[in-house]
Amino acid sequence: MKTMAGGSVANTIRGLSAGFGVSCGIIGACGDDEQGKLFVSNMSFSRVNLSRLRMKQGHTAQCICMVDELANRTMRPCLSSAVKIQADELTKEDFKGSKWLVLRYAIFNLDVIQAAIRIAKQEGLLVSLDLASFEMVRNFRSSLQQLLESGDIDLCFANEDEAMELLRGEQTSDPEAAVEFLAKHCKWAVVTLGANGCIARHGKEIVRVPAIGEAKATDATGAGDLFAGGFLYGLIKGLSLEECCKAGACSGGSVIRALGGEVTPENWQWMYKQMQIKGLPLPDNRN
């Protein structure tokens, strides 16, 4: 049993900050309990800006991740009694000076997501959305489709299971069809395929990139989150679609080499080596 700071978006921005040297902050809430202190300490250590994090009286959200010997994982979050940020607490100040808003789809805070997108768009930010889980897509597909059809989502990440759920009932529900569907509504659409890499689309361009490091997999927790961080790093650096996918594959491949959704210092070094091999620009902050 290992206790770690995490959360999908937290994993992504911690990776962007610690591994790629991209300035990031988190908008949200955490409780005044031991888990809250652990979260603040860990994110601060990774140089994530916490000035927008609301400290509240109560419990911090938790998630149990169960991992088998083949590195497969399943998760069960406990959010019902956790403190959370409310939609009416968000201000323009939370978004000022930022280029991207990174979100994870969740029905229980859909009002917060909608409010965050509305203010982000007023402030000229690009919006990235992760589809969270196949259960979330299956059970709340109509709300998700409304979000996508709004045209406010610039970048969308889905894994293979989420992509299948998104197209359930359609004639074809393969990753290619899912990427095509997402690309109708988003500038960039990415479907990750685990050990088979990913497929991505931007405009008329479609690329497929193999996975990296899956032979050394210990725990798949955070693979999609860290892939998203690498892909966003590529976009921020102005890389091509294929290079963004390769940066994502290097980043996602680095986190699966150890337990939990945080990349260890030695695995960041492993990632920089992989990026170098692939001719990708290395982050300025690497040791």
Side-chain angles (χ1 to χ4, degrees):
M1 183 84 169
K2 199 171 178 184
T3 304
M4 305 177 81
S8 178
V9 170
N11 290 339
T12 298
I13 64 166
R14 177 176 54 204
L16 270 168
S17 177
F20 291 99
V22 175
S23 174
C24 297
I26 193 161
I27 304 170
C30 73
D32 57 355
D33 52 5
E34 285 306 311
Q35 285 79 15
K37 288 175 192 159
L38 171 71
F39 185 85
V40 167
S41 164
N42 178 270
M43 290 292 150
S44 302
F45 180 77
S46 297
R47 299 183 295 281
V48 173
N49 183 322
L50 298 182
S51 62
R52 304 166 185 84
L53 183 69
R54 278 70 163 175
M55 303 296 293
K56 299 191 176 189
Q57 208 171 355
H59 298 294
T60 302
Q62 294 186 59
C63 181
I64 300 290
C65 307
M66 290 169 282
V67 188
D68 71 12
E69 59 190 6
L70 298 175
N72 300 308
R73 57 102 183 107
T74 191
M75 300 186 181
R76 283 295 167 262
C78 177
L79 309 174
S80 54
S81 63
V83 299
K84 59 178 272 194
I85 194 166
Q86 305 296 329
D88 58 9
E89 291 179 75
L90 296 173
T91 69
K92 286 188 174 185
E93 288 304 311
D94 287 321
F95 300 85
K96 267 206 172 12
S98 298
K99 298 279 195 328
W100 280 91
L101 170 65
V102 179
L103 295 164
R104 182 178 196 258
Y105 181 59
I107 200 72
F108 89 105
N109 62 353
L110 189 60
D111 57 334
V112 181
I113 289 171
Q114 289 165 335
I117 291 171
R118 189 172 64 250
I119 301 171
K121 285 295 161 189
Q122 288 168 2
E123 293 296 308
L125 276 72
L126 293 162
V127 175
S128 166
L129 181 73
D130 183 279
L131 296 197
S133 76
F134 71 89
E135 294 149 309
M136 196 65 72
V137 177
R138 176 190 293 164
N139 297 334
F140 308 105
R141 191 164 56 167
S142 61
S143 298
L144 174 59
Q145 281 188 297
Q146 282 174 12
L147 260 187
L148 293 170
E149 286 165 8
S150 71
D152 288 333
I153 309 299
D154 300 285
L155 165 60
C156 189
F157 293 102
N159 66 26
E160 200 166 1
D161 293 338
E162 293 151 9
M164 297 277 279
E165 282 299 334
L166 195 59
L167 297 184
R168 184 180 278 273
E170 302 289 323
Q171 283 183 324
T172 51
S173 58
D174 56 28
E176 287 82 359
V179 148
E180 199 173 317
F181 173 82
L182 290 170
K184 285 178 190 165
H185 307 297
C186 312
K187 287 192 188 81
W188 296 273
V190 186
V191 175
T192 55
L193 307 169
N196 293 318
C198 72
I199 179 167
R201 182 166 179 160
H202 175 50
K204 288 195 166 64
E205 186 186 6
I206 300 175
V207 299
R208 261 187 181 272
V209 167
I212 298 163
E214 70 280 0
K216 283 270 186 194
T218 298
D219 174 15
T221 304
D225 305 332
L226 271 293
F227 177 95
F231 191 93
L232 282 161
Y233 165 77
L235 287 181
I236 291 162
K237 282 283 188 186
L239 304 186
S240 70
L241 182 63
E242 186 175 5
E243 288 170 324
C244 288
C245 289
K246 285 179 179 176
C250 290
S251 182
S254 68
V255 76
I256 63 175
R257 295 165 63 84
L259 203 61
E262 183 175 10
V263 181
T264 62
E266 55 268 36
N267 284 332
W268 281 130
Q269 295 306 318
W270 176 89
M271 184 193 77
Y272 300 143
K273 199 171 173 185
Q274 301 305 312
M275 290 177 72
Q276 213 164 10
I277 291 166
K278 300 202 171 309
L280 298 170
L282 293 177
D284 300 328
N285 70 318
R286 71 191 189 284
N287 297 325

